[in-house]
Amino acid sequence: DAGVIQSPRHEVTEMGQEVTLRCKPISGHNSLFWYRQTMMRGLELLIYFNNNVPIDDSGMPEDRFSAKMPNASFSTLKIQPSEPRDSAVYFCASSPDRNTDTQYFGPGTRLTVL
Amino acid sequence: QKEVEQNSGPLSVPEGAIASLNCTYSDRGSQSFFWYRQYSGKSPELIMFIYSNGDKEDGRFTAQLNKASQYVSLLIRDSQPSDSATYLCAVNSGGSNYKLTFGKGTLLTVNP
């Protein structure tokens, strides 16, 4: 079975540009998580979806960040406008259901904002 | 602010030795505890979870939990160079069963 799929794997953009990160969870998983990882702050949960509905977005840093899950097999994380401090690795993870703690991570997207 | 603390390392051990990784957490309500391994440039991979006080063994790995002391550890026996990675401790927090708070990780180096 394919694991969590993320695209692009690397993104380099200039400050002020819009960035869209994409995620396909493991088939049959109905919980999806977006994380950000930096050296300074470690791995932080940005937003959590269950059955395509955002349940907890308390980790989204500011209004420049938005996330959607239009169906069970696709989610996006958008940053508009991007800033250099957004440079990080963004991971998507999925879990079989909301009562399962086990989360499976995608390969991540390394974002660099110049 | 719920916190998970780990020694950043690096922790260096010779091949065949026991590596001991430690983690403390601040949320007394936490019920689930995880160890993830992350190779450089890769994503976190779950290697162990533990819910109850005491020890849990899985192959060369043993997780230890002491809720009274708010302490979790991971022992790796017969360490191999392939165990060289960053080990992340994660704890469920906020009374939820999905929200994980991660430590910043301990870098382990196993020397041949």
Side-chain angles (χ1 to χ4, degrees):
Chain A
D1 282 343
V4 175
I5 299 172
Q6 290 187 246
S7 64
R9 296 293 305 277
H10 301 274
E11 177 81 29
V12 180
T13 191
E14 293 188 346
M15 183 174 62
Q17 297 299 304
E18 177 179 299
V19 175
T20 299
L21 311 180
R22 298 173 176 80
C23 175
K24 176 180 170 56
I26 294 172
S27 177
H29 285 194
N30 58 19
S31 291
L32 183 139
F33 308 81
W34 281 101
Y35 288 89
R36 176 173 68 178
Q37 186 174 38
T38 62
M39 289 292 291
M40 288 294 294
R41 300 177 66 88
L43 194 60
E44 302 173 286
L45 177 65
L46 300 178
I47 188 168
Y48 160 60
F49 291 88
N50 183 258
N51 289 325
N52 313 337
V53 176
I55 303 299
D56 184 347
D57 66 356
S58 60
M60 296 286 264
E62 49 197 276
D63 291 346
R64 298 184 298 104
F65 286 70
S66 63
K68 294 182 179 180
M69 192 165 186
N71 58 62
S73 59
F74 184 67
S75 176
T76 60
L77 178 68
K78 184 178 294 186
I79 308 172
Q80 166 64 15
S82 58
E83 297 183 2
R85 60 194 169 117
D86 301 331
S87 297
V89 181
Y90 291 81
F91 289 104
C92 177
S94 70
S95 179
D97 60 56
R98 68 181 301 160
N99 293 315
T100 302
D101 298 25
T102 304
Q103 298 179 19
Y104 299 87
F105 283 76
T109 295
R110 181 173 296 277
L111 173 65
T112 302
V113 183
L114 302 175
Chain B
Q1 177 88 16
K2 309 301 183 185
E3 294 184 347
V4 177
E5 300 288 342
Q6 296 181 254
N7 187 322
S8 63
L11 173 65
S12 184
V13 301
E15 183 174 356
I18 296 175
S20 177
L21 304 162
N22 305 313
C23 171
T24 59
Y25 60 94
S26 63
D27 184 358
R28 285 195 170 275
S30 296
Q31 297 295 321
S32 306
F33 307 87
F34 304 85
W35 285 99
Y36 282 81
R37 178 177 62 200
Q38 187 174 25
Y39 292 113
S40 179
K42 302 297 185 181
S43 58
E45 172 193 12
L46 180 67
I47 55 173
M48 289 284 293
F49 60 87
I50 186 167
Y51 301 141
S52 303
N53 277 327
D55 295 359
K56 179 182 179 182
E57 187 174 317
D58 183 1
R60 296 186 297 110
F61 298 96
T62 299
Q64 298 176 316
L65 173 61
N66 184 325
K67 290 185 179 180
S69 300
Q70 295 175 247
Y71 179 88
V72 192
S73 66
L74 179 70
L75 301 178
I76 306 174
R77 290 181 300 282
D78 187 24
S79 296
Q80 301 297 309
S82 59
D83 295 326
S84 298
T86 296
Y87 289 80
L88 304 174
C89 173
V91 175
N92 81 316
S93 58
S96 79
N97 57 0
Y98 65 85
K99 190 164 190 172
L100 297 183
T101 299
F102 284 81
K104 292 183 180 179
T106 297
L107 176 62
L108 171 66
T109 301
V110 181
N111 302 305

